[in-house]
């Protein structure tokens, strides 16, 4: 059964011109629609509220391109209800089309938001960059960035929180961009990153990610440089585990099972901290002989890490360290999770 998010969660708002790709983005990222099938989905024709079951209770409000909420029109929008609690506004620009009008509207929107809601992050997705050469992509990004920043500074606004991302639903860039957007909304992200960085050091992991399993967005990673290929491998691994679980189901692993698997001396009880009913999985990547592991943290989150070649022998020690970090992560989210905010209505 679909788990419903709590009310009053931080919201993401998806806006942009008609056909820029908003419905496709939310279908691919939040509902696992294969990218090719977006060719047939209907363009957004009304405001859609789409809440997803995720650890952060993000809501996607998909706005149709032709609605101009700040302009006088026949419909009056309750601006406060729309923007009052949002964490980030995602503005989608179709990079394969003429983007002049979209950029003009974006500028207009930022100006309006800066007046009343300067805390909202504005995340510009320069979208559909698949099929464009690298040079061309970066040219577009530079043009749009300069245009927006120049216009804003002409109006005396120099520090608006505007960020730009190159995205496509046909590769992992859209997930990567969402990860960046969501990470900014996590209170005390630095502490999470520090936990993962320490874990990488003690366990000789190459890279560790904390995944929101349903969406494959990563909530945090360690402080080694970003590496798209590790992220892609970990995403695929999450998919494999989900498919596997769907076919074979899941069941709690007993302490005896675990003891037998790990043997002396690693079966010593770790006081109160060994949880035996969480999903865990390990494999060795055939190209590089590096082990990869997944450990469930709670019903939404999983820790996924790529290890250094040959570290499979150290699995018992690694499991012990991972247990401790998983416990720490649980505690972290118990403390930082927002609760009991009343959801606005429009
Ligand atoms: P909306 O009106 O903003 O909701 O736009 P849609 O989601 O309906 O998308 C319009 C068209 O853009 C669809 O035919 C999608 O298949 C296509 N599209 C969306 N994202 C991408 C992308 O990343 N790359 C490419 N090439 N096409 C995309």
């Amino acid at each position: 059964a679909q788990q419903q998010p709590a009310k009053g969660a931080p919201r993401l708002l998806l806006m942009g011109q008609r056909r820029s790709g908003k419905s496709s983005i939310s279908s691919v990222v939040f509902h696992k629609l294969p990218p090719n099938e977006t060719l047939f989905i209907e363009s957004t024709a009304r405001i859609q509220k789409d809440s997803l079951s995720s650890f952060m209770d993000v809501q996607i409000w998909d706005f149709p391109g032709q609605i101009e909420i700040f302009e006088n029109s026949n419909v009056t929008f309750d601006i406060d209800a729309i923007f009052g609690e949002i964490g980030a506004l995602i503005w989608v620009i179709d990079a394969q089309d003429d983007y002049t009008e979209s950029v003009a509207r974006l500028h207009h929107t930022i100006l309006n938001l800066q007046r009343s809601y300067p805390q909202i992050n504005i995340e510009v997705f320069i979208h559909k960059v698949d099929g464009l050469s690298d040079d061309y992509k970066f040219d577009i990004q530079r043009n749009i960035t300069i245009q927006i920043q120049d216009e804003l500074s002409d109006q005396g606004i120099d520090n608006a929180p505007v960020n730009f991302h190159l995205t496509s639903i046909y590769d992992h860039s859209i997930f990567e961009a969402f990860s960046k957007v969501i990470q900014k909304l996590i209170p005390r992200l630095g502490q999470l990153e520090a936990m993962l960085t320490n874990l990488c050091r003690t366990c000789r992991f190459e890279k560790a990610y904390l995944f929101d399993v349903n969406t494959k967005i990563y909530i945090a990673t360690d402080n080694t440089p970003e590496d798209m290929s590790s992220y892609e491998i970990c995403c695929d691994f999450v998919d494999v585990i989900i498919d596997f679980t769907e076919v074979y189901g899941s069941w709690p692993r007993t302490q005896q099972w675990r003891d037998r698997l790990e043997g002396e001396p690693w079966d010593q009880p770790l006081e109160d901290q060994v949880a035996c009913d969480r999903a865990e999985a390990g494999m060795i990547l055939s190209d590089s002989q590096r082990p990869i592991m997944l450990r469930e943290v709670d019903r939404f989150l999983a820790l996924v890490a790529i290890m250094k070649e040959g570290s499979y022998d150290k699995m018992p020690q690694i499991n012990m360290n991972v247990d401790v970090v998983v416990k720490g992560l649980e505690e972290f989210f118990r403390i930082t999770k927002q609760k009991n905010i009343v959801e606005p209505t429009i």
Side-chain angles (χ1 to χ4, degrees):
Q2 182 90 351
Q3 289 150 332
Q4 285 306 311
K7 292 204 161 144
R11 258 184 295 150
L12 293 183
L13 227 56
L14 214 53
M15 294 176 90
Q17 303 287 92
R18 177 176 272 179
R19 308 289 298 159
S20 58
K22 302 176 296 298
S23 319
S24 310
I25 292 174
S26 78
S27 307
V28 169
V29 177
F30 301 107
H31 303 288
K32 299 189 185 302
L33 190 76
N36 288 329
E37 290 180 23
T38 62
L39 288 170
F40 312 111
I41 59 175
E42 261 181 55
S43 177
T44 314
R46 59 195 170 83
I47 298 175
Q48 294 175 350
K49 292 197 217 175
D50 186 8
S51 49
L52 63 131
S53 94
S54 151
F55 90 107
M56 271 199 86
D57 313 333
V58 178
Q59 290 190 13
I60 312 293
W61 288 20
D62 192 348
F63 275 80
Q66 74 280 16
I67 291 188
E68 182 52 275
I69 44 174
F70 293 111
E71 297 296 311
N72 293 331
S73 67
N74 300 337
V75 193
T76 322
F77 287 95
D78 181 347
I79 301 292
D80 202 43
I82 297 176
F83 291 105
E85 272 179 30
I86 73 163
L89 167 66
I90 297 176
W91 190 275
V92 184
I93 296 179
D94 182 347
Q96 295 189 5
D97 198 8
D98 176 6
Y99 48 80
T100 327
E101 194 189 335
S102 184
V103 171
R105 277 184 175 220
L106 168 62
H107 170 232
H108 184 66
T109 307
I110 299 174
L111 283 184
N112 279 298
L113 283 182
Q114 278 295 301
R115 259 179 244 134
S116 315
Y117 308 101
Q119 78 287 356
I120 294 176
N121 291 335
I122 295 151
E123 309 282 353
V124 184
F125 284 9
I126 301 169
H127 189 56
K128 305 193 195 177
V129 293
D130 48 282
L132 304 183
S133 73
D134 280 352
D135 282 352
Y136 189 63
K137 274 194 269 198
F138 293 123
D139 270 356
I140 294 185
Q141 179 167 8
R142 200 170 34 243
N143 281 345
I144 295 179
T145 312
I146 291 174
Q147 211 174 320
I148 291 290
Q149 278 165 355
D150 281 357
E151 282 168 3
L152 287 178
S153 64
D154 285 351
Q155 314 271 341
I157 299 172
D158 286 317
N159 300 318
V162 189
N163 306 288
F164 298 87
H165 312 259
L166 292 166
T167 58
S168 161
I169 53 170
Y170 288 97
D171 57 33
H172 286 79
S173 58
I174 192 71
F175 295 95
E176 173 100 15
F178 262 101
S179 302
K180 296 272 160 53
V181 170
I182 291 204
Q183 284 169 26
K184 291 195 199 118
L185 305 180
I186 296 183
R188 302 185 201 289
L189 177 69
Q191 285 179 10
L192 267 188
E193 290 173 341
M195 271 194 236
L196 296 181
T197 305
N198 277 333
L199 182 69
C200 285
R201 221 180 7 241
T202 38
C203 296
R204 298 185 64 242
F205 287 165
E206 264 178 19
K207 196 87 191 134
Y209 295 94
L210 186 60
F211 268 91
D212 181 48
V213 177
N214 291 327
T215 58
K216 288 183 292 172
I217 287 169
Y218 68 94
I219 310 304
T221 182
D222 61 283
N223 70 356
T224 54
E226 269 173 42
D227 172 11
M228 196 67 170
S229 68
S230 319
Y231 174 57
E232 287 173 14
I233 291 171
C234 291
C235 280
D236 292 348
F237 189 55
V238 170
D239 278 341
V240 169
I241 303 301
I242 290 176
D243 290 350
F244 207 78
T245 320
E246 273 170 13
V247 175
Y248 294 102
S250 60
W251 58 92
R253 175 183 274 192
T254 63
Q255 183 65 43
Q256 289 98 308
W257 170 270
R258 192 185 172 106
D259 291 346
R260 211 169 48 234
L261 198 72
E262 298 185 348
E264 297 267 359
W266 309 109
D267 59 350
Q268 302 308 311
L270 270 175
E271 301 301 338
D272 61 338
Q273 57 201 6
V274 180
C276 309
D277 56 351
R278 295 204 180 87
E280 52 182 286
M283 280 189 195
I284 304 217
L285 299 169
S286 63
D287 60 335
S288 55
Q289 296 304 308
R290 290 173 303 169
I292 179 167
M293 59 143 287
L294 174 146
R295 177 70 70 89
E296 196 176 5
V297 174
D298 64 17
R299 65 192 176 126
F300 298 125
L301 297 176
L303 185 69
V304 183
I306 300 183
M307 300 175 219
K308 296 220 163 78
E309 194 187 325
S311 38
Y312 208 74
D313 297 346
K314 303 262 172 10
M315 221 44 209
Q317 295 100 308
I318 290 175
N319 273 339
M320 249 167 53
N321 283 311
V322 170
D323 278 338
V324 175
V325 169
V326 165
K327 188 89 181 149
L329 290 171
E330 266 181 1
E331 185 78 350
F332 177 92
F333 287 108
R334 199 175 51 74
I335 296 170
T336 54
K337 204 159 189 168
Q338 292 195 4
K339 286 189 185 127
N340 302 331
I341 307 167
V342 179
E343 188 184 0
T345 49
I346 59 167

